[in-house]
């Protein structure tokens, strides 16, 4: 049973599938086939990541894949600015072309941290792909190279994104309205 929040669908499963196809095409045209490493930022990106990886097969891209679990600490919807590595990648990215994949680019602190981390590990180039972008919330100096949809400053769930670990299984993306003013958050 879900907690009782109000959901408003922003992007249907078909909308998402169409955009993911287009993103796969963009990545396929932009990235070299040789040394590509796709790094998913857990947990919110897991469904998006899986769809992207399967799509790349049809563009004859056969990336190595890995995941990192990054936590941005803070209370409520506001992250504190401190990003910590809960789980690091194990693939050696030295000299490779890395594409970081995240669910949503919000303040940008997480992705900014992840880009710096990949360069520090010796990646030759680092690009980023996000399903959703909330440019109005940006704090860190970063924009993504590949963006699925731009959204207003609303809290969204579904297609991997959670509220309190719920809602990740929704095949669509919905705005979640809190029935009482409380803390929201997600990774
Ligand atoms: P940033 O470091 O860009 O502020 O935070 C990005 C992370 O915050 C995302 O990867 C995601 O885990 C979480 N986040 C930001 N906005 C939302 C949202 O609207 N819904 C959910 N479920 N998570 C969000
Ligand atoms: Mg996340």
């Amino acid at each position: 049973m879900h907690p009782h929040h109000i959901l408003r669908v922003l992007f249907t499963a078909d909308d998402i599938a169409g955009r993911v196809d287009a993103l796969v095409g963009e990545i396929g045209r932009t990235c070299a086939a040789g040394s590509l490493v796709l790094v998913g930022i857990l947990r919110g990106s897991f469904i998006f990541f899986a769809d992207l990886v399967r799509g790349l097969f049809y563009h004859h891209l056969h990336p190595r894949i890995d995941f990192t679990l990054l936590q941005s600490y803070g209370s409520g919807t506001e992250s504190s600015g401190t990003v910590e590595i809960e789980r690091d990648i194990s693939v050696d990215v030295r000299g490779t072309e890395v594409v970081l994949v995240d669910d949503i680019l919000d303040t940008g602190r997480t992705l900014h941290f992840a880009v710096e981390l990949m360069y520090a590990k010796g990646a030759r180039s680092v690009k980023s792909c996000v399903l959703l972008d909330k440019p109005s919330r940006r704090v860190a100096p970063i924009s993504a190279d590949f963006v699925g949809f731009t959204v207003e400053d609303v809290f969204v769930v579904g297609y991997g994104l959670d509220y309190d670990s719920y809602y990740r299984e929704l095949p669509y993306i919905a705005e979640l309205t809190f029935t009482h003013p409380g803390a929201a958050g997600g990774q």
Side-chain angles (χ1 to χ4, degrees), residues 43-44 46-47 158-162 165-170 187:
R43 301 183 175 80
F46 75 107
I47 294 179
Y159 193 66
L161 289 96
D162 75 310
S165 301
Y166 287 102
Y167 300 111
R168 293 195 196 272
E169 79 286 6
L170 300 180
Q187 292 302 322

Side-chain angles (χ1 to χ4, degrees), residues 41-45 70 102-104 110 186-187:
I41 301 176
L42 295 173
R43 301 183 175 80
S45 70
L70 299 179
D102 205 357
D103 52 357
I104 182 164
T110 307
Q187 292 302 322

Side-chain angles (χ1 to χ4, degrees), residues 35-178:
S35 65
L36 187 62
V37 182
L38 239 65
V39 175
I41 301 176
L42 295 173
R43 301 183 175 80
S45 70
F46 75 107
I47 294 179
F48 179 45
F49 190 87
D51 285 347
L52 280 179
V53 170
R54 274 177 298 192
L56 289 175
F57 171 84
Y58 298 103
H59 286 258
H60 310 290
L61 281 180
H62 310 292
R64 286 183 294 162
I65 71 160
D66 205 346
F67 296 94
T68 179
L69 173 51
L70 299 179
Q71 300 269 34
S72 169
Y73 287 100
S75 60
T77 48
E78 203 58 55
S79 62
S80 65
T82 314
V83 180
E84 282 182 19
I85 306 169
E86 295 275 316
R87 187 232 183 249
D88 205 347
I89 57 167
S90 43
V91 166
D92 182 358
V93 294
R94 279 177 295 180
T96 67
E97 195 172 358
V98 170
V99 176
L100 286 163
V101 178
D102 205 357
D103 52 357
I104 182 164
L105 183 53
D106 187 33
T107 66
R109 288 182 178 121
T110 307
L111 196 60
H112 186 259
F113 177 90
V115 169
E116 297 294 307
L117 184 65
M118 293 304 127
Y119 277 122
K121 287 176 181 291
R124 188 178 71 236
S125 83
V126 183
K127 292 194 172 70
S128 54
C129 176
V130 297
L131 179 68
L132 301 165
D133 186 8
K134 278 188 200 171
S136 63
R137 296 257 307 158
R138 200 74 85 254
V139 172
I142 187 158
S143 59
D145 299 282
F146 311 102
V147 174
F149 303 99
T150 300
V151 289
E152 300 298 310
D153 183 11
V154 293
F155 193 81
V156 293
V157 294
Y159 193 66
L161 289 96
D162 75 310
Y163 171 63
D164 195 19
S165 301
Y166 287 102
Y167 300 111
R168 293 195 196 272
E169 79 286 6
L170 300 180
Y172 48 82
I173 290 167
E175 175 185 351
L176 182 144
T177 307
F178 297 91

